[in-house]
Each structure stands twice: as C-alpha cells, then as structure tokens.
Amino acid sequence: MIERYLRRLGLNDAPPSVESLFRLQRAHVERVPYENLEIWLGRPTTVDPMESALRIISGRGGYCFHLNGALSLLLERLGYQVTRHYGGVQDTPDKAPGANGNHLVLVVSGLPSEDNPDGRWFVDAGLGDGIHEPIPLVEGAYGQGPFQYGLRPSESDPGGWRFEHDHRCSFIGMDFRAEPTGMDAFAASHEHLSTSPESGFVRAAAMARRDATGVDSLTGLVLKRIGSETGSPTTLDRPEDYFAALVDVFGMTLDDVSAAERDKLWQRLYTAHERWLRRDDPS
C-alpha cells in the first residue's frame, strides 16, 4: 500500500526528515484533490484511514477526514511521529470560532530545524485552499506563495492553536485542540457533513487543488483560480467541459465512475447550478 500511495504522489520512500515532510505535504495537495464527489455520486464513505488511502491510490481525493486521515496513516507507516487533533473551521465572521469537530488536523513531532527547534509542525492536506507546506507550530506570520497566514494560541480552545487564513480564500480560520484524538471522534461530524441537507457539501459539489502559486477551485460548475494568477471565473456549462476540467485541472479521470453514473452526476450538478442562478431571481 505504501509503495502505491507514494507512486500516486510521485515520490520515493525516504526516512523521516524535515525535507521529506515538506515534499510529502506539497505532493499531496498538488496531486490529490480536495473533493466531495462521492456525496454527489451517492456513495457513502467512512473516516477509516485505510479506506481513504485506498481511494486516493485509485485516483480519487476526498475532504479533510479522508485526506488527513490517509496522510496520517502514510506518515505513521513511514516512521513519522504524527498525532490527530480535533479541529473546527470558521467559515464566516458571523460563525463562532472553535474546535467543533468539522476538521481533522495533523501535528508531526520530533523534527527540529533552525527555525523550529521544538520540532513540531502543523501539517494539513485537507483544507482545500489551505497550506502548501507544513508550518512550524510556533506563533507567527507565515507566507507561502501569494498567501499570508497566521498561527497563534487559540482563544476558544485553551492550550490549542488558531490558524488564520488568507483573506482571499474560502474560510476565516481554524482552531484545533492540543490533545491528540482518534478517528472515531469525527464520525458524527462526517455523517452530518455527508448527509445533512444543511451541509455545504450536500448543497454544493466542491473541489480544490493547491500548488506553489495559488489554488484551482471548482464549486458547482464555477471554476476559478486564486493567487498570483487570479483570473475571471469560468462556468463549465457543458458536461464535456466539466469532466475535461476534472482531468486537466484536478487530475481526476473518474475511472471508477460508469457512464450512467456520470450522466446522473451531471444532471444533479446542472440542476443545482440552475437553482443557484435563480437564488436572487424575484420571479
């Protein structure tokens, strides 16, 4: 499994080191898309890291519980000291900050460097338009490509941490607790996110891919680029354009999806897009 996972990332096996950790994080967010299409295909998933890893190996992605869950398994098998942490993404300013369980965070320990003598790193492949490289678990401001981030002690979760996102991106910030937790702590949140009519994942298909200069983002049928090459959004209103973008931009061939499933997926996506266009129509 490890060899196939590393092959998906375009990497070779290497002993734990700061340099190798950075390569793993970069490769994961560049090659494995943040996506929730399993929900739109009507395929239930779990938070089991092995299930998520096998799906990634097959050419798919997932959202935080899948991506960080699988990455934590890979890191463990490669010999890294990795812990999972209970987190919470603050989508908008009107929502309260705090670790509410809608995000899984990883911390890697035991890798000191000149700018991080304590050797603890915030690692995350599941934020969509989030970080490209690990960040030292040290209070401060951090720039990665065109984006600026902040890390500080959390006010909502004493002893934990607060990640402040770049203002151009999809959420305000994220808090996570200091103590490690198991994957079962996220089962209820995963159930809500993947099935509830109130969930943003149920209301909109979402996809993102981070690289050194920015983020490719696809929400519903609207494709945009955020970062140093930001351009105007493009609406992919033909199925051939949509599925071509999945391959060309996000590296997803959907080999595991039949023609009939693709047709059904497209109809769901197009109907949701039409409903979104009518949201402000007084008629």
Side-chain angles (χ1 to χ4, degrees):
M1 190 275 287
I2 297 302
E3 289 183 1
R4 289 183 293 156
Y5 202 145
L6 290 173
R7 193 178 309 124
R8 173 84 162 89
L9 301 182
L11 298 175
N12 297 316
D13 195 355
S17 69
V18 173
E19 294 77 12
S20 294
L21 179 64
F22 271 58
R23 282 194 292 269
L24 281 165
Q25 162 93 42
R26 288 193 297 259
H28 214 287
V29 296
E30 290 176 5
R31 290 173 173 257
V32 182
Y34 177 96
E35 53 107 347
N36 64 353
L37 286 188
E38 292 295 76
I39 295 172
W40 286 71
L41 287 164
R43 297 175 172 181
T45 62
T46 73
V47 297
D48 176 59
M50 180 59 76
E51 175 190 298
S52 300
L54 292 174
R55 190 162 51 250
I56 288 170
I57 289 168
S58 74
R60 294 292 304 281
Y63 53 89
C64 68
F65 303 139
H66 309 124
L67 299 174
N68 282 340
L71 178 56
S72 68
L73 179 63
L74 175 64
L75 290 168
E76 286 173 348
R77 298 286 181 89
L78 292 173
Y80 288 86
Q81 300 175 36
V82 58
T83 50
R84 304 177 180 109
H85 297 260
Y86 199 79
V89 170
Q90 181 187 11
D91 298 327
T92 58
D94 60 299
K95 293 186 178 179
N100 58 14
N102 70 6
H103 189 64
L104 161 64
V105 178
L106 304 182
V107 172
V108 170
S109 306
L111 293 177
S113 69
E114 184 176 343
D115 62 344
N116 188 15
D118 186 54
R120 301 178 70 225
W121 300 87
F122 165 46
V123 176
D124 205 305
L127 283 171
D129 59 7
I131 60 176
H132 187 234
E133 298 177 332
I135 291 178
L137 206 54
V138 177
E139 183 175 3
Y142 298 92
Q144 292 186 1
F147 303 125
Q148 295 296 317
Y149 309 123
L151 195 64
R152 69 172 193 269
S154 172
E155 292 88 4
S156 60
D157 294 273
W161 292 88
R162 168 74 175 184
F163 170 74
E164 295 285 352
H165 207 1
D166 190 280
H167 68 91
R168 290 168 290 178
C169 295
S170 64
F171 61 94
I172 303 298
M174 184 272 296
D175 293 86
F176 62 97
R177 297 176 184 171
E179 63 274 12
T181 192
M183 287 302 300
D184 56 347
F186 304 99
S189 185
H190 169 64
E191 178 72 15
H192 172 80
L193 289 173
S194 59
T195 63
S196 171
E198 301 302 314
S199 167
F201 288 162
V202 173
R203 295 197 303 266
M207 197 167 300
R209 188 195 65 85
R210 178 74 158 92
D211 59 38
T213 64
V215 177
D216 295 307
S217 172
L218 178 60
T219 303
L221 302 182
V222 180
L223 176 66
K224 63 181 178 180
R225 175 76 179 176
I226 308 167
S228 58
E229 304 166 2
T230 299
S232 300
T234 300
T235 299
L236 307 174
D237 53 7
R238 301 188 306 168
E240 55 266 36
D241 295 333
Y242 179 83
F243 290 109
L246 296 193
V247 176
D248 298 338
V249 180
F250 300 99
M252 289 208 316
T253 60
L254 295 190
D255 290 338
D256 61 330
V257 179
S258 69
E261 287 177 311
R262 288 184 184 227
D263 289 343
K264 185 176 179 179
L265 172 62
W266 173 254
Q267 290 303 320
R268 288 194 66 190
L269 291 166
Y270 193 81
T271 299
H273 181 72
E274 290 288 291
R275 186 165 57 246
W276 176 76
L277 290 176
R278 293 193 302 268
R279 71 195 187 284
D280 296 323
D281 186 349
S283 63

